[in-house]
Amino acid sequence: MKRITVGLLGAVLASTSVFAQDFSQVNITTIPVTDNIYMLQGSGGNIGVSIGDDGTFIVDDQFAPLTGKIVEAIAALTDKPVDFVVNSHWHYDHSDGNENFGKAGAYIVAQDNSRHRMETDQVVSLNGREQEAYDASGLPKITFMDAMKFYFNGNTIEIVYTGPGHTDGDAQVYFRESNVLHTGDMFVRYGLPFIDQPNGGTTSGMIDSLWEIAGLIDDDTIIIPGHGQLAKRSDLLEYRSMLVTIRERLQAAIAQGQSADQVVASDVVEGFAAPGAGTERWVRAAYEEYK
Ligand SMILES: [Zn+2]
């Protein structure tokens, strides 16, 4: 429990201190996933990298000031430039490198709702941070509604929209032959996941999406989560169970007529998160969904 709690607060703090973040101190770590797929970690969402004869395909591009270091890390793996950047969704910690990669010649790809959000100024509800519209170079030139495929580097790369969850434009990127899935922030490895309700996210949508995702993969699948270390299908199902349990408790409390304050003061997230500002924000947002 302690680890989970620290994880949640850490994530919230990292997000709220984004303006003050000194990117010169961030190093990019390369973690092999298969013989031609890697996970890069720096600051922000995990990056998936597929290299091979066809070129370089990445999922997410973190913060703009990190692009140089990300390109350097990729250059250590392959001499081919980045052809495609798939955004798992539009949040800045996953997509603020878009303008740099777009200017360098990569095609940005995203779910259509995510592209529309990137066209205009947004506010990320976790911390109220404003995210300015991207210029043309940072906008996805290719979008999809429900699903699309790439046949690239020996993989059938299936990109799937499973409905609203973390936001209203999340993409799952499944490298079928390699059996590797990048989930974006639909699945993260800290306690309570951020669900961006004002921007189309929903708890029940996330629960449903996780079930659909679990059906797409198997027990041998290696999952690159939106944040945190590599995972398995069982980790994703355990995380889904947590959300189901919390939803049940929340709905029972609401059925009893409890107010938001009463629910915050109750044990609705007991076993999953300790009391604190981050937990309270989460519970109030979920309460609004189900009241
Ligand atoms: Zn996000």
Side-chain angles (χ1 to χ4, degrees), residues 43-45 61-63 89 91-96 131 185 227:
S43 179
D61 54 27
Q62 297 189 351
F63 294 94
H89 61 297
H91 283 157
Y92 56 87
D93 56 327
H94 298 259
S95 59
D96 263 7
Q131 180 173 332
D185 282 356
H227 297 268

Side-chain angles (χ1 to χ4, degrees), residues 88-94 124 166-167 170 184-185 194 196 227:
S88 67
H89 61 297
W90 58 273
H91 283 157
Y92 56 87
D93 56 327
H94 298 259
V124 179
H166 171 63
T167 67
D170 303 291
D185 282 356
F194 169 42
D196 198 350
H227 297 268

Side-chain angles (χ1 to χ4, degrees), residues 16-282:
T16 49
S17 63
V18 64
F19 293 110
Q21 192 167 358
D22 179 1
F23 289 104
S24 70
Q25 302 303 311
V26 175
N27 293 310
I28 305 295
T29 307
T30 300
I31 296 142
V33 180
T34 68
D35 57 354
N36 73 336
I37 297 178
Y38 298 84
M39 174 170 81
L40 305 186
Q41 293 188 311
S43 179
N46 288 328
I47 298 176
V49 181
S50 159
I51 61 166
D53 292 341
D54 293 326
T56 304
F57 174 109
I58 71 172
V59 184
D60 287 346
D61 54 27
Q62 297 189 351
F63 294 94
L66 294 175
T67 302
K69 289 179 184 175
I70 293 165
V71 168
E72 238 173 70
I74 294 170
L77 305 170
T78 176
D79 56 7
K80 293 192 164 76
V82 174
D83 302 297
F84 296 102
V85 177
V86 177
N87 293 136
S88 67
H89 61 297
W90 58 273
H91 283 157
Y92 56 87
D93 56 327
H94 298 259
S95 59
D96 263 7
N98 276 12
E99 291 175 355
N100 294 333
F101 279 98
K103 281 176 189 145
Y107 285 99
I108 316 287
V109 181
Q111 205 276 343
D112 205 52
N113 298 335
S114 271
R115 151 122 194 167
H116 288 312
R117 290 195 179 276
M118 292 180 212
E119 289 168 350
T120 54
D121 295 352
Q122 301 289 328
V123 176
V124 179
S125 68
L126 179 67
N127 49 17
R129 181 197 193 269
E130 288 180 30
Q131 180 173 332
E132 283 183 22
Y134 294 154
D135 69 25
S137 64
L139 292 176
K141 288 200 165 50
I142 304 168
T143 70
F144 70 99
M145 291 302 294
D146 297 316
M148 72 187 303
K149 288 182 186 178
F150 280 74
Y151 296 88
F152 207 72
N153 291 339
N155 262 292
T156 309
I157 307 173
E158 301 175 9
I159 310 181
V160 185
Y161 174 59
T162 57
H166 171 63
T167 67
D168 61 1
D170 303 291
Q172 302 298 312
V173 184
Y174 185 42
F175 300 85
R176 181 161 283 284
E177 285 76 7
S178 294
N179 203 4
V180 173
L181 172 72
H182 191 300
T183 62
D185 282 356
M186 200 69 91
F187 170 56
V188 294
R189 305 217 69 193
Y190 49 82
L192 302 173
F194 169 42
I195 300 170
D196 198 350
Q197 287 99 339
N199 295 314
T202 85
T203 305
S204 289
M206 184 178 271
I207 289 169
D208 292 346
S209 287
L210 290 164
W211 192 247
E212 191 175 333
I213 293 162
L216 187 72
I217 61 177
D218 62 37
D219 292 341
D220 297 323
T221 304
I222 301 172
I223 299 177
I224 302 175
H227 297 268
Q229 297 310 307
L230 295 174
K232 305 291 258 180
R233 184 171 181 268
S234 55
D235 300 313
L236 180 136
L237 287 170
E238 189 182 323
Y239 161 93
R240 180 181 180 275
S241 295
M242 167 184 77
L243 293 175
V244 170
T245 300
I246 294 171
R247 178 175 63 179
E248 278 169 5
R249 292 175 185 171
L250 193 58
Q251 287 176 323
I254 289 167
Q256 287 166 10
Q258 289 191 25
S259 66
D261 288 342
Q262 285 173 310
V263 171
V264 165
S266 77
D267 58 357
V268 73
V269 295
E270 193 188 339
F272 304 115
T279 299
E280 179 173 339
R281 191 212 69 83
W282 197 97

